[in-house]
Amino acid sequence: MSYIENVLEQLEQKNPGQPEFIQAASEVLNSLKPVFERHPEFEQAALLERITEPERVVMFRVPWVDDNGNVQVNRGMRVEYNSAIGPYKGGLRLHPSVNLGIIKFLGFEQIFKNALTTLPMGGGKGGSDFDPKGKSDMEVMRFCQSFMTELCKHIGPNTDVPAGDIGTGAREIGYMFGQYKRIRNEFTGVLTGKGLEWGGSCTRTEATGYGLVYIVNEYLKSKGENFDGKTVTISGSGNVAIYAVQKAQQLGAKVVTVSDSTGWVYDKNGIDVALLQQIKEQERGRISEYAERKSGVEYHEGRGVWQIPCDIALPCATQNELLIDDAKQLIANGCKIVAEGANMPTTLEATQELQQNGVVFLPGKAANAGGVAVSGLEMSQNSERLSWTCEEVDAKLKTIMKNIFAQIDSAAKEYDCEGDYVKGANIAGFMKVAKAMMAQGIV
Ligand code: GLU
């Protein structure tokens, strides 16, 4: 049995009931075979055993009182995965599906994603099974304050800097920041995704969606093409999806779908971003309302955006939302590019199916790195106590996405798998962290 197979087998034994974590780890480790052939010193240093084991996991009780005076208890956690190249960095997911396996998969991916941004950030992730949907603002505030009362003991601007993810937006970051500042009596850049008036960065909200479109554009440019006239399907309707729709349309594409956990819409005339923002950002409403307010739009319950013919598909909802049958349908409909705006939205077998049938596949850890990249820029602005203009941040984001594409493209070429951006991203991200870990000794 090879070193990599052996480590994967041990991982499965040690982490029962964590299928998403095993999925993410298998994809990365299986990509690294050629790296370990060239670098036997990595095996001697037990690099894979170390990199798959989080440096620290904190799990804690989050008690809060709902509007009816009832005591509620949620579970909070933070996985501080790897600090070889910088403070732990990554979002906080608030969703009923959150468990340790999900947060570990996200934290593990974050290590390599953050390395690809070229900024000094380690990998971490956290969250809770608390569901902000259907809760009042005061309930969300009480939850966030209780969550931060414990979390503040473990984080800091040079230690661990959380941010948003599914269920954690500007409102939640605000309540958490307020509580951190109150307990520590410190105004520091301990969280990113802050409001623009109190230390946030311009373009942070848009960054993941914009970055996704920028990296696809880099690929298109390398083939002498662009977005003009292309049909794009997008899943999700959170900040990643909304700003991917906006940027793709600014570049001349027509985006025809968006979705949420209840259903999806097909708008053959192109999604109206202002209406989408009104429903999702202002009203926190359902996507069915989009079809109710705009004529000529189809609404369907359940899932189904991948059956709509497109040139480019951008899954921006959540993990494992693009399955093998969806991949087959996309191929049959002539889709040329799939780029992941969400974290691990494509299953392993769907990814393989797409790649084997000539669909260009840009994996999340490269394609959705724009969000955490601008978080890194927010940290820089907080350190120098300045705030940069939107033009400056957007220009830096573009440069970072261009650079990520160059890194994953050249790593794939260097390791004889040209055009395989899954391997390219895993190898390029891993090499940076591996070199840092080797230099820092057995820690
Ligand atoms: N949650 C985002 C991600 O998956 C952003 C994390 C951050 O800004 O720290 O990368």
Side-chain angles (χ1 to χ4, degrees):
M1 199 188 282
S2 75
Y3 172 55
I4 289 176
E5 284 163 349
N6 192 27
V7 173
L8 274 172
E9 194 178 289
Q10 283 179 35
L11 265 191
E12 287 190 43
Q13 277 168 17
K14 273 189 168 178
N15 301 283
Q18 299 183 0
E20 293 86 2
F21 170 59
I22 298 298
Q23 181 183 342
S26 305
E27 187 213 274
V28 172
L29 267 56
N30 284 323
S31 295
L32 297 176
K33 279 179 188 145
V35 172
F36 280 77
E37 278 160 20
R38 284 192 206 174
H39 293 278
E41 72 279 15
F42 288 172
E43 181 176 342
Q44 274 158 21
L47 217 53
L48 290 182
E49 289 90 331
R50 287 194 286 141
I51 209 166
T52 51
E53 190 69 31
E55 290 175 17
R56 186 176 304 101
V57 174
V58 261
M59 225 191 241
F60 50 92
R61 178 170 71 206
V62 188
W64 55 281
V65 181
D66 70 18
D67 287 345
N68 298 319
N70 296 320
V71 178
Q72 302 287 339
V73 181
N74 287 101
R75 177 177 290 173
M77 58 190 89
R78 184 77 182 162
V79 173
E80 297 183 331
Y81 226 117
N82 192 294
S83 61
I85 64 171
Y88 309 106
K89 182 83 196 84
L92 295 169
R93 179 171 292 193
L94 299 182
H95 192 269
S97 65
V98 163
N99 58 40
L100 184 59
I102 300 243
I103 299 300
K104 277 177 63 186
F105 117 63
L106 291 163
F108 187 68
E109 292 267 304
Q110 201 84 45
I111 303 171
F112 309 105
K113 183 197 305 196
N114 294 1
L116 287 172
T117 66
T118 69
L119 302 173
M121 299 182 287
K125 202 89 185 190
S128 172
D129 58 357
F130 173 80
D131 188 359
K133 255 197 219 113
K135 304 286 192 302
S136 70
D137 284 352
M138 288 301 105
E139 287 178 323
V140 171
M141 183 183 79
R142 290 193 290 273
F143 167 83
C144 289
Q145 290 181 338
S146 180
F147 182 81
M148 184 52 83
T149 301
E150 177 59 34
L151 188 69
C152 78
K153 300 169 191 165
H154 311 284
I155 63 177
N158 297 309
T159 307
D160 184 356
V161 183
D165 194 78
I166 294 173
T168 308
R171 176 182 61 172
E172 290 74 17
I173 292 292
Y175 293 146
M176 289 181 195
F177 185 81
Q179 184 74 346
Y180 182 90
K181 180 166 64 65
R182 177 191 189 192
I183 295 174
R184 301 283 276 259
N185 194 22
E186 263 177 25
F187 194 112
T188 55
V190 69
L191 294 167
T192 60
K194 299 185 290 299
L196 297 184
E197 305 79 12
W198 41 281
S201 173
C202 190
T203 321
R204 175 63 191 87
T205 312
E206 297 86 351
T208 314
Y210 281 12
L212 174 66
V213 172
Y214 290 156
I215 199 169
V216 173
N217 205 31
E218 275 308 310
Y219 170 78
L220 288 169
K221 274 202 283 193
S222 77
K223 302 287 168 201
E225 291 183 56
N226 58 48
F227 265 100
D228 209 22
K230 300 263 189 315
T231 299
V232 178
T233 51
I234 292 184
S235 61
S237 50
N239 72 319
V240 182
I242 292 172
Y243 294 99
V245 174
Q246 186 178 68
K247 187 53 73 180
Q249 299 202 145
Q250 281 171 5
L251 297 184
K254 184 155 78 173
V255 181
V256 294
T257 62
V258 281
S259 66
D260 68 12
S261 56
T262 52
W264 57 285
V265 294
Y266 175 40
D267 185 349
K268 54 183 182 314
N269 298 316
I271 297 290
D272 177 342
V273 180
L275 179 59
L276 182 64
Q277 284 177 305
Q278 173 65 29
I279 293 165
K280 283 292 168 182
E281 291 179 343
Q282 258 63 260
E283 301 168 21
R284 297 179 189 273
R286 291 284 175 205
I287 203 67
S288 54
E289 289 167 38
Y290 181 92
E292 283 161 23
R293 293 192 213 171
K294 192 176 174 210
S295 59
V297 179
E298 287 176 31
Y299 171 73
H300 302 272
E301 271 177 22
R303 54 191 299 285
V305 298
W306 311 126
Q307 63 192 257
I308 301 298
C310 65
D311 302 302
I312 299 168
L314 305 176
C316 298
T318 193
Q319 68 271 359
N320 293 331
E321 52 150 318
L322 199 162
L323 313 175
I324 182 80
D325 288 342
D326 303 318
K328 287 181 178 156
Q329 182 84 66
L330 286 165
I331 295 160
N333 288 341
C335 173
K336 300 281 181 301
I337 302 172
V338 173
E340 297 185 313
N343 289 311
M344 204 170 76
T346 319
T347 61
L348 285 175
E349 41 169 13
T351 304
Q352 275 161 15
E353 181 76 15
L354 291 166
Q355 289 186 312
Q356 281 162 10
N357 286 279
V359 177
V360 173
F361 186 87
L362 292 165
K365 52 175 88 64
N368 72 38
V372 74
V374 174
S375 278
L377 301 180
E378 184 172 328
M379 290 166 73
S380 306
Q381 293 169 76
N382 292 164
S383 298
E384 59 178 19
R385 298 188 192 282
L386 286 173
S387 70
W388 305 340
T389 64
C390 300
E391 290 70 28
E392 268 178 285
V393 177
D394 191 50
K396 286 195 163 69
L397 172 62
K398 266 189 201 145
T399 307
I400 288 170
M401 298 315 295
K402 193 182 164 111
N403 203 308
I404 293 175
F405 182 70
Q407 287 178 70
I408 67 174
D409 191 48
S410 76
K413 285 178 182 149
E414 191 187 332
Y415 283 88
D416 303 321
C417 49
E418 184 166 352
D420 184 339
Y421 300 122
V422 173
K423 291 204 176 98
N426 289 333
I427 293 172
F430 175 81
M431 285 305 288
K432 184 171 175 190
V433 181
K435 284 180 192 159
M437 288 177 73
M438 292 300 283
Q440 292 169 21
I442 307 300
V443 289

